[in-house]
Amino acid sequence: MREAADAGARLVQFPEGAIVYPDPDAMPAADGGTVSWTETAWDVIGAEEEAIRLLARELGIWVVFGTIRPLAPAVLPRNSLLVVSDQGEITARYDKRILSHTEATRLYSPGSEPVVFEIDGLRVGCALCIEANFPELFAQYEALDVDVVLLSVMVDDAARAVVAQAYGTLFNYWIGYSVPAQFGSTAPAGVIGPGGRWLARCPAEDRPALAVTDLDLDAEDRDIAIGLRLARPWRRLARAQSRKAGLIG
């Protein structure tokens, strides 16, 4: 966060599970194959979240990071992204809506809603890891008129970065792609522009790094300008016409 602030960033994105990413096989068992969360140190997780919140306020930057949020005692927790403003306030929480088989049967309860927040005139949506495999979620964010989707993952999977790049091409918004440092050599974190080009990317090495770029709705970069001001509105019109003609649902 300090390095990002020193680089002039207004928003820093971290991966899924940035605070903790539990191994269900290492956790106490509960009924029906689910894990037991009764011994979870929620106070420690809360203290880490609080430290991030306070540092965001100190640095004057927005932060989005993966964590786990408890619900009622009888309900499995949520795999979430917390959005912290530059004033150190938690302004939004995105709960992962589509879970992997293991997550759904052993670890978490799913969220149900997209999340969109605004920063410096940009509308930003959130998605987590395996949700990259469900284009309807990203089409929904296009319909919600976002400028950016932050896709935070916890997986060593080069193909997932290619899928993320495809959404920049298909929907002509920016994609923030964040992975843990230990997976950096396979598919480094970075920022994809409208049109699908990588604008900034971390080194292909298994170590912490930053990828920093400007997001400008009035950008003169040819690819971005075409994506934002020509391709995106034309594709919206084409989709509307195709739906009216019954060509797509």
Side-chain angles (χ1 to χ4, degrees):
M1 287 171 63
R2 294 186 186 279
E3 291 179 14
D6 289 343
R10 288 284 293 131
L11 167 69
V12 57
Q13 174 193 3
F14 287 98
E16 179 184 37
I19 295 294
V20 59
Y21 194 77
D23 176 3
D25 294 329
M27 298 177 69
D31 295 335
T34 62
V35 302
S36 171
W37 293 88
T38 57
E39 299 180 26
T40 303
W42 294 114
D43 57 333
V44 176
I45 294 174
E48 292 293 326
E49 293 175 359
E50 178 71 359
I52 292 171
R53 187 183 68 79
L54 294 176
L55 184 57
R57 183 174 67 186
E58 175 189 331
L59 299 175
I61 61 173
W62 289 69
V63 184
V64 177
F65 64 94
T67 188
I68 300 171
R69 273 302 175 98
L71 300 177
V75 181
L76 292 174
R78 297 274 170 84
N79 184 347
S80 305
L81 282 175
L82 282 190
V83 179
V84 179
S85 76
D86 55 1
Q87 301 300 308
E89 300 173 350
I90 297 175
T91 61
R93 187 186 85 201
Y94 177 72
D95 296 328
K96 192 174 186 179
R97 292 180 280 171
I98 299 179
L99 305 176
S100 71
H101 176 75
T102 297
E103 288 177 322
T105 58
R106 302 186 64 189
L107 285 166
Y108 306 121
S109 58
S112 59
E113 301 292 336
V115 163
V116 178
F117 65 96
E118 293 196 16
I119 170 174
D120 298 347
L122 294 171
R123 289 174 54 80
V124 184
C126 299
L128 278 164
C129 203
I130 200 171
E131 294 182 329
N133 295 322
F134 296 86
E136 54 268 37
L137 271 64
F138 292 82
Q140 181 185 45
Y141 278 125
E142 149 61 11
L144 290 171
D145 199 30
V146 303
D147 303 299
V148 190
V149 173
L150 304 179
L151 175 59
S152 292
V153 308
M154 175 63 79
V155 68
D156 192 9
D157 181 13
R160 198 150 309 186
V162 176
V163 172
Q165 191 174 11
Y167 291 134
T169 303
L170 293 173
F171 299 120
N172 291 287
Y173 46 49
W174 283 273
I175 299 281
Y177 187 77
S178 178
V179 300
Q182 65 265 31
F183 302 148
S185 61
T186 300
V191 182
I192 301 160
R197 190 179 90 235
W198 288 96
L199 302 177
R201 210 163 188 193
C202 292
E205 301 172 1
D206 292 341
R207 63 176 178 84
L210 291 176
V212 183
T213 192
D214 292 328
L215 277 60
D216 182 2
L217 294 173
D218 298 317
E220 296 181 1
D221 178 286
R222 184 175 184 274
D223 291 342
I224 296 175
I226 289 174
L228 287 178
R229 296 190 279 278
L230 296 177
R232 191 172 188 183
W234 176 81
R235 287 179 183 178
R236 286 179 173 176
L237 176 62
R239 288 190 190 101
Q241 292 173 334
S242 296
R243 289 191 183 97
K244 186 175 181 180
L247 298 177
I248 60 175

